[in-house]
Amino acid sequence: MNAILIRPDRRRSRLRLFVMQVLMLSLFVTLFARLWYLQVFTGEEYQAKATEQSVREVVVQPSRGLIVDAEGRPLATNRTSWVVSVDRTVLGKQSEADRTALLKRVAHTVGVKYSEVLARTRLCGAPKAKKGTCWNGSPFQPIPVAEDIPQTTAVQISEQTEDFPGVLAQAETVRSYPAPYGINAADVLGYLSPITGQELDDAKKSDDQTVNGASVVGRAGLEKTYDQWLRGVPGVTRVTVDSMGRTLGDSGQVAAQPGDTLVTSIDAKVQSVAEHELHKAMMTARATYDPVTHKNYVADSGAVVVLNAHNGNVVAMASQPTYDPSVWVGGISSKELKELYSKKAGEPLLSRATQGQFAPGSTWKPIMTVAAFNNGYNAGSRLDCSSGLQVGGRWFKNYESANYGVIDFAKALQISCDSFFYRVGLGFWTQFGSNPKNVNAKDPLVAMAKQFGFGAKTGLDIPGEASGRIADRKWKLAYWNSMKGFYCKVDKQNKTGKRDFLHIYAHEFCLEGNQYKATDAVNFAIGQGDTIVTPIQLARAYAALSNGGTLYAPRIAKAVVGPDGKVIKRIKPLVQGHVKSKKSALKYVDAALLGTPKVGTLAWKFGGFPLDKVQLRGKTGSAEVYGKQSTSWVATYTKDYVVVMMVTQAGTGSGTSGPAVRAIYEALYGIRGEDVNAARAAIAGVVPPKGLPVFAPDGSILPPLRRKQ
C-alpha cells in the first residue's frame, strides 16, 4: 500500500496555526487572571483609591487674632467674607472653549473682569503669569479668584454646580476695623497683604504649617511684629467631587486654629482725642497767617506720642497724613497704592511719629541743661540772655531780638532764651574743641544727647523706626567725604559768581565742610543745624526726665492671650539703659520745667488749667527749616505721662500745639471743661512777670507781648 505523502509547506502551516492558537489561549488566560486579580482579589483597595481621587482638599483659612486696647476694646477684628475659588485640576480636564466659557461665567457672576479671573488662575512662573496676580500656592489647591462677594452670589454658585464645575464658594474671615471712639490708628495697627512666593518657599523649607498660598501676612505695625501669634493655623475641608468637578458633599475636615489676641497699651479714648486734636491743630494752623512768609501756614504733617512715663508703654500715637487701614482688605489697587506713596498726598504710609525726622528746636534745651550741670554749671550759674550773639562772622539772634539780661538756667528754659544756650555751646567748644579739625575732641553736649538715646532707634515694637541723627564731628566728616564731589562740582561750575544760597553753601562746604566750627556748636545747643530726632525719641527722653533717668524701649503690646482666654505671653517693660547724670541735674531740670506752663512760654495756653493738681512740666520749640516754615513742638510730662506733639510748617510751638496738648491732658486726667473755665476766669487779670504774656478773661493772650517757643 502506498503511503500518503503530505507536502512540507502544508505541514508548516498547521504548525504555525497550532502555535498561534496556544498563544491566543495564553493571552486570554493571562488577561482573565489579571482582571480577576484587580476586580476580586484587590478590588477593595482600588475602589478606595478611586474614591480618594474624587476628594479635593480645600484649605480653610483661620480667623486672625484680635488686636484690642488696654480696656479690651477691639482695634482690629474680623468679619465674614465670601470667597470664590476655582479648581485647576478640573480646568485641566476641560477643552479650551469650555474652560474659557466657565471662567467668563464666573467673572460675570462675581462682577470681576474675565482677564483678572484668568490671570489669577495662572501659576506664578508659568507663561503669561503676571507678578502680584498669579497663584503662588499649590496647583492642587483651589485658587481664590474673587473675594468679598455678596452671600447671595455665593449661594447661587453653590446651588448651580452643573453650571460651575470645579468652582467653590466659601465663607472666610477678613480684617475689620471697629474704630472705637472713631479712631484710625493705622500707623499703630499696620496692614496685611498676600504672602509672596519667596515667603511661601521659606515657610516650606522651615516646615511652617501656619501659612499657605492663600495666606495674608502682616506688613507693618503690630500686624507685622506679632504676626506669628495673630495668624493662627489653617485647617482642611475634604470635598467629594465627581469626574466633572461637581461637588457631591463633604468627607471630613481638620478645623482651623484661630489666632491669638494681642492686648495693647493703647487707650482708645486718649487715642481718639490725640488724633482729633492733631487734625484740629493742623487745620487751625492752615487758617492762620504767617507774618514771615506772608502766607498761611502749610501745616503739612504732624505727630502725637503719649507714653506712660513709668514703663514706656504707648498710650496713644497718631500721625498725619494717614490712611484708612481697610483699604488693604481684599486687595489694594495700583492707583490706591500709588496714592499711599505719593508725595503730593503727603506720603500717608510714612509714620511721622516713628519715621519722621525733624530738628527738635528748643525742646532740646532741657537735655543740654542736664549736660551743662554734669560739666561745671550749677543752679547758681547765670548767663546773659542778650538779643543775640556774634559767633565767627555770623550773628545768631535771640527770637524777636528779645533781651532779658543775665538769668539762670531755669528762667532760660521757661522763656526759651536762645542766646543763653548759644553761650553754653560756645563755652564747651572753646574749652574742649576749638580745633575744628579734631574729630575726637570732647563734647559734653553731644555725649549727653547720646545718653538720652538720641541718634539710635528706641526699640519700639513696630517696624520701620528711624534712628534720627546726632550731627557731631565724626558725622560731619563722614558727610563731607560722601558729598564733597557733588558740592565741589557745583562750586567749580559757578563761573559767573552766583551768590544764592546753594552756591554760597557749595563753596563753603567744598573748602571746609569737614570742620566742626563754633557755629555748629551753638546750633547744636538749641536743637538746630543737622541734628534730627523722631517724636518717639523725644518722648522717650522726656520720660527719662520724668522717671529719674531710666530709658525704656517704648512698647505697644502688653500681652498675648489664647482663644481660650489664657495668657500665653506677657510683654514686660524693657529697660534699655540709664542716663549717666547727677541726680541733682535731673531734679533741677524737672523743677525748672514746672514753670513753663505757669509763667513760661506755655502759660498763655494753660491759663485755668489745674496745675496744682496736675503738676505739668513742659518745653516748647519752633525749629527753623531752610526754605520752609518753622516746625512746631511741644514736649511735656507729668510723673505719669509724657505728651509730645509736632506739626511741620506750623509756626510757634505753643501757638499751634499748645491747645492740643492741653486737651490730651484733660482726657488723661478726666478734667472737666466747666472746672477749667472756672479756674481760668479766677486768674483773669493777673499780670505775669515782665516779658511774659498777659491773659484776657477768656484765656487768650493780649497783644503785643508774644513768644515764639
Side-chain angles (χ1 to χ4, degrees), residues 187-243:
D187 298 309
V188 174
L189 298 173
Y191 58 90
L192 308 172
S193 70
I195 191 170
T196 65
Q198 183 61 54
E199 289 171 333
L200 192 59
D201 290 341
D202 293 342
K204 290 177 180 177
K205 290 177 183 177
S206 61
D207 196 30
D208 184 354
Q209 302 296 317
T210 64
V211 293
N212 54 74
S215 293
V216 290
V217 295
R219 295 297 180 202
L222 296 172
E223 294 278 23
K224 181 175 182 178
T225 303
Y226 298 97
D227 186 59
Q228 60 177 316
W229 283 284
L230 291 167
R231 66 171 62 150
V233 180
V236 174
T237 296
R238 296 182 177 88
V239 180
T240 305
V241 297
D242 62 14
S243 60

Side-chain angles (χ1 to χ4, degrees), residues 376-436:
Y377 289 93
N378 55 53
S381 300
R382 297 170 68 83
L383 296 172
D384 189 10
C385 178
S386 59
S387 60
L389 182 67
Q390 186 75 26
V391 181
R394 180 179 169 187
W395 175 256
F396 286 80
K397 67 181 182 64
N398 205 19
Y399 179 66
E400 293 183 346
S401 300
N403 187 336
Y404 292 94
V406 177
I407 59 176
D408 61 9
F409 273 89
K411 182 68 175 295
L413 289 171
Q414 292 161 9
I415 65 173
S416 200
C417 178
D418 288 339
S419 58
F420 183 100
F421 285 94
Y422 291 151
R423 288 178 165 82
V424 174
L426 181 61
F428 283 129
W429 183 87
T430 302
Q431 182 179 357
F432 299 114
S434 58
N435 179 0

Side-chain angles (χ1 to χ4, degrees), residues 394-543:
R394 180 179 169 187
W395 175 256
F396 286 80
K397 67 181 182 64
N398 205 19
Y399 179 66
E400 293 183 346
S401 300
N403 187 336
Y404 292 94
V406 177
I407 59 176
D408 61 9
F409 273 89
K411 182 68 175 295
L413 289 171
Q414 292 161 9
I415 65 173
S416 200
C417 178
D418 288 339
S419 58
F420 183 100
F421 285 94
Y422 291 151
R423 288 178 165 82
V424 174
L426 181 61
F428 283 129
W429 183 87
T430 302
Q431 182 179 357
F432 299 114
S434 58
N435 179 0
K437 296 182 180 180
N438 181 8
V439 296
N440 296 313
K442 180 180 177 180
D443 193 329
L445 301 183
V446 167
M448 186 55 67
K450 292 180 178 179
Q451 280 287 311
F452 274 90
F454 293 106
K457 296 179 181 180
T458 67
L460 177 70
D461 57 343
I462 58 175
E465 181 187 5
S467 61
R469 179 175 65 217
I470 296 294
D472 58 6
R473 293 167 183 261
K474 292 182 179 179
W475 174 85
K476 192 164 187 182
L477 176 61
Y479 183 71
W480 180 76
N481 284 326
S482 65
M483 296 299 295
K484 63 181 178 181
F486 170 77
Y487 283 112
C488 289
K489 184 178 179 180
V490 171
D491 182 45
K492 187 176 180 180
Q493 292 176 345
N494 185 20
K495 304 295 185 181
T496 59
K498 295 179 181 178
R499 297 295 296 169
D500 57 281
F501 176 82
L502 173 62
H503 290 91
I504 294 175
Y505 179 83
H507 178 71
E508 293 178 353
F509 185 90
C510 184
L511 291 177
E512 48 193 28
N514 61 323
Q515 299 180 22
Y516 192 83
K517 299 181 177 180
T519 52
D520 296 307
V522 298
N523 260 331
F524 186 85
I526 64 163
Q528 293 283 177
D530 294 309
T531 292
I532 50 179
V533 305
T534 65
I536 191 71
Q537 285 179 325
L538 193 64
R540 181 174 75 152
Y542 272 63

